[in-house]
Amino acid sequence: MRTRSVLALLAATALVAGCDPASPTDPGTPSSSTPTGSASTAADPAAAQALGQATAALGNTSFKVTMTSGPGFKLTGQMDAPGGKASAEMKATGSNTEITVQTRLIGQDLYVQVPGVTKAGTWTRIDMSRLPEGANLGLKPGQIDPANTAQLLSSTTDVTQSSPREFKGTLDLTKASGLAGVDQLTIQKYGSTAQKVPFTAGLDEQGRLSALTIQLPAVNGQQVEPLEVLYTDYGVTVPELKPAAAEVVEAPADLYSTLGGK
C-alpha cells in the first residue's frame, strides 16, 4: 500500500472504540437505536447538572474508552487525565483495506505507529502545531478523552432525563471540537443538521458516565452508523507509555501535508 493512500485512509477515518460492549439490558447503557428526530425541547436543568457532574469525572481519574461507528472503525484506549498520558489503538476497515494505528500521548508529545508509513519498531513523533485546527488522530495534547465529552456535551441546551441513569438531548456539533472522527470538514457537510444531533448518555451505578451514543447526520442522503462510546474501568492503572529515545523519529513532511498541515 502506498504511503499517501495509507495516510489518506488514516485522515479520513479517525473514529474510536474498544472494551466489551455493555449488555443491552443494562439500564445505564443507551440503545444504539437512537432516534433520528430531535430530542425533547423541554430542558431539565437538574438533568443537565447531573450529566455534567458525571462527565466531569473523566478529567479527575483514569479510565478505559471504547468508541465505534459500525464495523468499519474501532478505537480502544486507556486514558489518565491527571497523569497527562493516554494510549489508543485505532482500527479502520475499508472494502479491501485494513489499517491499525497505535497512538500514545505523553504531555504535549504525540507518538504514532502507522503500518506502511512508520518504520517497524519505531514511534513517530507528530508536532500537532503543524496540523490544522481540529485535526485529530484519536488523541491530542490537552485532550485526553478522544470524544472530548465534557466540551461536547456543553453544546447541548435541551438535556432531559428519561430514566434514573439515562439522559437524552441534542448536540450542536458546530460548537464542538475534538470529537475524534468528526472533523470540521465533515461537520460542514452535515449542513444545518449538525446543529441538532440527537444523543443519549448513560451512567453506571456510581453515577459516572458509562455510555454515549450520537446519531450522526446523513451525508449525501446516506445514513451513517451512530457513534457509540463506552467508558469503563475507572481508576485503572495506566502504565508508563513514553517510548525510548532510540525508538523515536520525527514525522515526515508527507504525513503533515496529507493531514492538511504544513
Side-chain angles (χ1 to χ4, degrees):
M1 188 185 300
R2 293 179 301 172
T3 296
R4 292 192 66 83
S5 64
V6 173
L7 294 175
L9 176 61
L10 173 62
T13 56
L15 263 177
V16 200
C19 314
D20 294 333
S23 166
T25 61
D26 181 351
T29 303
S31 168
S32 61
S33 57
T34 307
T36 56
S38 63
S40 170
T41 56
D44 181 349
Q49 182 179 16
L51 183 57
Q53 290 175 342
T55 303
L58 297 175
N60 302 326
T61 186
S62 58
F63 58 93
K64 290 183 179 180
V65 66
T66 297
M67 193 171 179
T68 54
S69 182
F73 201 98
K74 179 178 182 179
L75 179 146
T76 58
Q78 296 186 77
M79 315 296 149
D80 181 358
K85 58 184 178 180
S87 65
E89 177 181 283
M90 297 188 295
K91 184 176 182 179
T93 304
S95 57
N96 62 350
T97 304
E98 182 176 289
I99 183 172
T100 299
V101 178
Q102 302 285 343
T103 311
R104 291 183 180 182
L105 177 65
I106 299 93
Q108 295 299 306
D109 294 321
L110 182 67
Y111 304 90
V112 300
Q113 288 184 339
V114 186
V117 177
T118 60
K119 184 179 179 180
T122 67
W123 288 90
T124 297
R125 191 184 76 85
I126 295 179
D127 181 357
M128 294 296 288
S129 68
R130 294 180 59 180
L131 296 181
E133 183 178 359
N136 200 326
L137 299 179
L139 299 174
K140 61 189 299 186
Q143 181 190 314
I144 294 295
D145 176 11
N148 200 13
T149 310
Q151 197 274 341
L152 182 67
L153 292 180
S154 71
S155 72
T156 182
T157 58
D158 60 359
V159 178
T160 60
Q161 191 163 358
S162 51
S163 74
R165 288 163 50 199
E166 186 170 283
F167 302 82
K168 64 181 181 179
T170 57
L171 303 168
D172 184 351
L173 294 183
T174 66
K175 297 180 179 179
S177 63
L179 175 61
V182 187
D183 58 20
Q184 292 301 310
L185 180 60
T186 301
I187 292 173
Q188 290 173 10
K189 291 180 180 179
Y190 291 155
S192 60
T193 59
Q195 298 176 313
K196 210 72 173 176
V197 179
F199 80 91
T200 56
L203 309 185
D204 64 16
E205 294 180 350
Q206 284 73 49
R208 302 169 301 195
L209 190 67
S210 63
L212 175 67
T213 298
I214 302 172
Q215 184 61 62
L216 297 173
V219 177
N220 298 325
Q222 297 293 318
Q223 185 60 50
V224 299
E225 296 281 355
L227 180 63
E228 300 180 285
V229 191
L230 300 178
Y231 302 88
T232 62
D233 296 79
Y234 280 92
V236 66
T237 299
V238 177
E240 179 57 45
L241 300 169
K242 188 172 183 177
E247 299 175 341
V248 177
V249 296
E250 296 301 314
D254 62 348
L255 188 150
Y256 290 111
S257 61
T258 301
L259 295 178
K262 55 186 179 179

